[in-house]
Every structure is written in C-alpha cells, then in structure tokens.
Amino acid sequence: MTEKAKQGVPRTRILADLTPLRSSPDYRRLWYGNTVSWIGQGMTALAVSLQVYDITGSAFSVGLIGLCSLVPLVLLGLYSGAVADTVDRRKLGLFSATGSFLLSVVLAAVTFAGVEHVGLLYVVVALQAVCFALNSPARSSMIARLLPAEQLPAANALNAMTSTTGGLAGPMLGGLIVGWWGYRAAYTVDAVTFTASLYAMWRLPSMLPDRAEGEKGAKRASVLDGLRFLGTRPNLRMTFFSDLSAMVLAHPRALFPVVAVVWFGGDAKTTGLLVAAPALGALLGSVFSGWLSRIRRHGLAVLIAVCGWGGAIAVFGLTRQLWLGLVLLALAGCADSISMVFRNTMLQAAVPDDMRGRLQGVFIVVVAGGPRLGDLVAGSVADLTSPAVAVTGGGIACVLVVCLLGLRWRGFARYDARDPQP
C-alpha cells in the first residue's frame, strides 16, 4: 500500500483521544488545572470526614457532611446555570474557583491554629458546594466554545477521566498524607493544588454567552425559560430521563455494606472494594475511549450504555462470588462513563450557547440528587424484600424503563451528531 493510501485509511484508536489537549491551549490548561484540583479536593473530602469522626466519634456526624454538600448543589444548581447564561463565564469561573481556594486556605489555617469545631467544618463544606455549583455550569459551558463539535466526545471522555481520577487518587493520597503528616498537610496541599485551576481560569479569554440575533447587552437569564426550553426538546429531556432511570432504579451503593457481609462474607475492606469497582471501571472506560469519537448515533449509544449499566447491576445481584461481582460493577461503571460522555456531548452540541449554563444547572441537580434518591429507593426496597430483590429488580427495572422511554421517543435513538437536534 502506498504512503498516500495509508494516510487515507482511518487509524483505529483505542486509548483516549488527546486531540483536544493538542489543539486548544486554553482547554489543555483547563484540563490540567481541573485534574490537579480534583485530586486535591478528593484529599480534602476524605480529610474532613476523618477529622469529623476524630472529633465526634459518630458515623451520623460524618454522614451529615454529605447532606451539607448535597443541599447547596440541589438548591443552587438551577440558579447557578442561569447566572452562567448571564455573565462572563470566565469571570464566574474565576470567582468561584477563588472561593474554593480561599476555603481550602481557611481549613488549613484553622487546623494550624488548633481549632477543632465540627460546625465550622460543616459550614466550609457547604460553602465549597456553593462554589462548585457556581463553577460547574460555567466551566462545562466553556468547553463547546473552546473546541469544535467533533472533538467534544473526546473532551468529555478526558473530563470524565479527571473526575474519576480525583475520586480514586484523591482519597488514597489524602489517607496517606493525613496518616503521615496530619490534617494540616492535607488541607495545605489542596490549597496549593487549587492554584492550577485558578491559573487556567485566569488565562482564558472572555466567555460572554452568545446572544440571539438582535439582542444587545446583558439580559438576565431566567431559570423558567431554561425549563420551558427543556420541556420542548425531547432529545435533551431523554438525556436526563435515561440517567435518572439508572441512578434511581439501579444504584446499589447504599447496600454495599450489607452485601459485603451477607453475600461475600467480607468486612469493611470488602465494602471498599465494592465502592471502588465502578469508579475503576469508569476510569478504564475513559482511558480506552478513543473509539467514542467515531460514534455518530449518540442517543442510541446512551440507551445501550444505560441498558448495559442496568444489566450488569441485575447480574451482580445474582452472583455470590466476590471477583465476579467486582468485574460486573466495573463493567457497570464503564457503561456509565460512556453514557455520561455522550449525554454531556449532546448537552453541549445541541443547546444554544445562551442556554448551556441553565441546562448544565439541571445536569448538576440530576447528578447530585439522582444517586441520593437511588440510595433511598434501594434501601427501602431491601428492607421491604431483600437486598437481592432490590439490586436485581432495580437493574431489570432500569433496562425496562429505558427501553420504554426509547420506544416512546424514537427520535432519540436516531440522534445524529452531524446534525444535533435538541
């Protein structure tokens, strides 16, 4: 084969597509900065949990940390998206990232001062959630302005790699640092690493939302307008419906401590393995995501991936071998990662720029609230029946509901990335 012919043959890509990092210096800085800061935030999340337990000796007090984080995310998610559609997103991202940095500094300072007050830790965690709620819609809305549409799947796979790496490596490093040098060291490292995100935001160009033709000046974006827009766009609604089907109906995380003992005869270490398996699967899905950029039927890919999640969870509920259970959970995590890549891409490519912030705000509410509601559903069904019924029944219900949704809105499966229709 001639050299020219070889160049005409598309190369089969397996590993993550790094084209977005090579083509856009702004995106590259943003990605590196977010990766470093996500790891730092993962360290702080674990350190705060350990410190609350050291102070109180109460598992309930540790559980309240999640509530302090969840409430601001749910309450401010929609509003923060409207803010991102009104102001310069670069300034909003820089402002909220600065707030997160200062909160990390506060944690380090009070720890160095020897102050041990659980209420203060709760307040800081809640304020960190406020900063994240403001930052996330702004940051996500920027991606479609920094990269061409054909690079969005690769960029979202890289973003998924960032969050998963932070969720895995951050707590692990946090445990080591707290064990060796104490809480003050963990909080200090987090504050230092957050400067990478600040620098990336500072170097970005202005990111004012694109206005519809004929509009002038800054118009206050309405949350209700965003919800009305979503209500008339079936493909976008389906991205949320499909994710809620997975997270509410087939999310067995709350049952891991029970099944670790009852099914696998394990202990807390076994629970840790069960919790880590989906995250590891999601990370592997991101690492080996090079093929995702060749997929054009994004809606169909979401349906298949969510059915893959539900199917893996259903079979997990039937197995009593730990190694097989971990493999199934990893497969579920990989499927979830693929679904998230395409759902994010659709939200970026099929939404007008002046609506992207509000749709990303809805995304925050779904992502933050869905798994918590899923914990409630799984726990309630398990109490009424059994853990096996809750897990396997939830997985089967997820597959059935997604299939019914796909039949109800058939256009979603025909969604073509070359002509994105909301």
Side-chain angles (χ1 to χ4, degrees), residues 15-291:
L15 295 177
D17 185 357
L18 304 182
T19 302
L21 297 177
R22 292 192 291 265
S23 65
S24 172
D26 287 327
Y27 175 77
R28 182 169 61 247
R29 284 190 293 267
L30 194 63
W31 186 81
Y32 284 128
N34 287 338
T35 299
V36 173
S37 62
W38 265 93
I39 294 174
Q41 288 290 281
M43 292 169 47
T44 290
L46 179 73
V48 169
S49 297
L50 292 173
Q51 190 170 14
V52 167
Y53 188 74
D54 279 349
I55 296 172
T56 65
S58 167
F60 175 76
S61 297
V62 176
L64 286 178
I65 297 173
L67 184 63
C68 291
S69 178
L70 175 63
V71 171
L73 287 176
V74 172
L75 293 181
L76 292 178
L78 297 177
Y79 177 74
S80 63
V83 175
D85 284 339
T86 302
V87 303
D88 185 342
R89 290 163 180 162
R90 180 246 182 195
K91 291 182 179 178
L92 178 60
L94 188 59
F95 170 79
S96 53
T98 301
S100 295
F101 164 73
L102 293 176
L103 289 169
S104 296
V105 172
V106 168
L107 282 175
V110 297
T111 307
F112 272 104
V115 177
E116 292 188 347
H117 195 284
V118 174
L120 177 61
L121 294 176
Y122 288 156
V123 169
V124 171
V125 167
L127 291 176
Q128 285 177 329
V130 170
C131 291
F132 180 82
L134 291 171
N135 186 272
S136 185
R139 187 179 65 249
S140 299
S141 301
M142 294 175 184
I143 304 300
R145 298 274 292 270
L146 298 176
L147 297 168
E150 63 270 15
Q151 292 183 21
L152 291 179
N156 286 315
L158 291 171
N159 294 340
M161 190 186 304
T162 289
S163 58
T164 308
T165 300
L168 284 172
M172 180 180 66
L173 291 174
L176 292 175
I177 292 175
V178 169
W180 289 339
W181 299 296
Y183 300 114
R184 65 183 69 178
Y187 298 143
T188 301
V189 170
D190 180 30
V192 172
T193 57
F194 224 99
T195 58
S197 181
L198 284 175
Y199 175 74
M201 284 287 182
W202 178 68
R203 289 290 304 273
L204 288 174
S206 176
M207 288 275 181
L208 283 167
D210 289 338
R211 302 295 174 195
E213 189 174 350
E215 287 188 10
K216 294 182 179 180
K219 177 184 175 182
R220 182 176 296 278
S222 166
V223 173
L224 290 179
D225 285 345
L227 294 176
R228 292 191 191 102
F229 175 83
L230 181 61
T232 59
R233 302 304 193 273
N235 286 336
L236 297 179
R237 288 202 308 273
M238 273 292 291
T239 63
F240 296 114
F241 289 161
S242 59
D243 187 49
L244 285 172
S245 299
M247 294 298 101
V248 175
L249 299 175
H251 196 256
R253 179 182 60 187
L255 303 180
F256 284 164
V258 176
V259 303
V261 176
V262 176
W263 292 0
F264 305 118
D267 51 16
K269 294 178 182 178
T270 308
T271 303
L273 291 175
L274 295 175
V275 172
L280 180 60
L283 178 59
L284 291 175
S286 301
V287 171
F288 296 99
S289 62
W291 57 278

Side-chain angles (χ1 to χ4, degrees), residues 376-396:
L376 176 62
V377 170
S380 300
V381 174
D383 281 344
L384 293 173
T385 56
S386 69
V389 171
V391 176
T392 298
I396 294 173

